[in-house]
Amino acid sequence: LNPVLTQDINYRASLRLARLAKKSGVERFIFSSSCSVYGVSGQEMIDENGVVAPATEYAKSKVDAEKDISGLADTGFSPVFLRNATVYGISPMLRVDLVVNNLAAWAYTTGNIKVMSDGSPWRPLIHIQDISKAFIAALKAPKNIVHNQIFNVGQNSGNYRVREIVEVIKSQMPECNIEFTGEHGADTRTYRVEFSKFNSLLKDYFKPEWNIEKGVKEVLGSYRSVDLKEGAFLGEKFTRLKRINALLKQKKLDKSLRWNTSR
């Protein structure tokens, strides 16, 4: 909605926070980055040394922040960069605009999954609880292992084509229908990510516990427990951009996306 503000918050404010942390004596600074920095990297597995090709303002802001925060590293300040895979799973602030949660919601609320592609794009996936444990691991690990390092966070077995994600959902909801439109639309991202570095170097501090089958079961179980309806799924509550647009219409945010304190 606002590329300039994306850079202001995700890049400039992150860099400012890192500088303030360093000035305040913080010894370790964990930056939440994203595997989306790899953009359209194709079919081959890509590791932390691979070329980044950010395809969105969000991904570009992560690349910029990594670069400049890394430049702050010294003997007293250790930044660590976690390039997280695409998240799935249930949390108190549920998002249904992420691929696993989204496709499962379509299946549960409508009985139909409409995939706006041929299902071939790759996505690396990780459960929200495993990401949380990865952050703890990055804080606990010895400095010599993580100092100013970039880590892809996920599992090699967690790379899935979109159509494979759909098949997992279909296996747990066999009554749902599936349609592949063959379109790719504006989202051309496809990337397979190598996660061996993090899982090897931090094996004493991090052990992932989730896989997509277990995660889909959790997500569908949660939708059933509250009997999620199509209207709620497609409404503003669980999708970030829809929520921002609703606040703009209500004039609770102004056009620069700043909070309207007069209301």
Side-chain angles (χ1 to χ4, degrees):
L1 293 180
N2 189 326
V4 173
L5 195 62
T6 297
Q7 284 290 319
D8 282 346
I9 294 174
N10 284 354
Y11 165 55
R12 294 183 184 89
S14 295
L15 179 58
R16 178 173 183 268
L17 182 62
R19 286 171 172 160
L20 290 171
K22 180 177 179 177
K23 184 178 179 180
S24 300
V26 170
E27 296 179 2
R28 189 166 300 182
F29 186 92
I30 314 299
F31 181 71
S32 184
S33 190
S34 170
C35 284
S36 66
V37 300
Y38 298 120
V40 186
S41 64
Q43 305 300 312
E44 299 301 318
M45 297 282 276
I46 188 166
D47 65 14
E48 292 84 353
N49 296 314
V51 176
V52 295
T56 64
E57 291 299 326
Y58 170 82
K60 292 173 187 174
S61 73
K62 294 297 186 182
V63 172
D64 292 342
E66 285 182 4
K67 177 178 178 291
D68 286 354
I69 293 173
S70 176
L72 300 176
D74 59 23
T75 56
F77 183 71
S78 290
V80 186
F81 306 94
L82 302 186
R83 289 179 178 169
N84 303 309
T86 301
V87 189
Y88 63 91
I90 297 300
S91 69
M93 294 293 288
L94 177 68
R95 286 183 59 184
V96 296
D97 50 348
L98 298 168
V99 62
V100 174
N101 292 359
N102 181 265
L103 294 174
W106 278 114
Y108 180 76
T109 63
T110 72
N112 293 285
I113 303 177
K114 189 174 183 179
V115 181
M116 303 300 287
S117 72
D118 59 2
S120 65
W122 286 94
R123 291 291 185 276
L125 306 173
I126 186 171
H127 193 277
I128 181 60
Q129 290 187 26
D130 281 341
I131 278 188
S132 301
K133 290 172 184 174
F135 275 77
I136 295 171
L139 288 169
K140 288 185 173 181
K143 178 181 176 180
N144 65 299
I145 294 178
V146 299
H147 177 73
N148 208 21
Q149 290 290 309
I150 294 172
F151 294 98
N152 295 331
V153 178
Q155 301 179 65
N156 287 348
S157 60
N159 286 288
Y160 284 85
R161 292 185 183 274
V162 172
R163 62 171 172 259
E164 294 170 338
I165 300 171
V166 172
E167 289 167 1
V168 172
I169 296 170
K170 174 76 171 177
S171 71
Q172 299 191 28
M173 280 199 67
E175 68 276 17
C176 75
N177 298 311
I178 301 171
E179 177 186 357
F180 294 95
T181 67
E183 306 167 35
H184 276 281
D187 190 354
T188 58
R189 293 174 302 150
T190 181
Y191 43 94
R192 297 177 68 198
V193 180
E194 172 66 56
F195 298 103
S196 297
K197 179 180 176 181
F198 189 78
N199 287 283
S200 174
L201 292 180
L202 279 82
K203 63 181 182 298
D204 293 333
Y205 306 91
F206 175 71
K207 291 181 174 58
E209 297 182 2
W210 288 80
N211 57 44
I212 187 176
E213 289 80 12
K214 182 180 175 182
V216 166
K217 182 177 181 179
E218 177 207 37
V219 169
L220 289 174
S222 181
Y223 293 166
R224 291 188 183 100
S225 70
V226 298
D227 192 19
L228 180 67
K229 301 297 185 184
E230 182 179 359
F233 159 50
L234 296 177
E236 68 179 62
K237 185 174 182 180
F238 304 117
T239 301
R240 180 174 296 167
L241 290 180
K242 289 182 180 179
R243 179 61 177 158
I244 291 174
N245 275 319
L247 292 172
L248 286 169
K249 289 179 181 178
Q250 297 165 22
K251 297 185 178 179
K252 292 182 178 179
L253 290 174
D254 66 28
K255 290 182 180 180
S256 64
L257 303 187
R258 291 183 173 85
W259 190 254
N260 189 340
T261 55
S262 66
R263 301 178 68 87

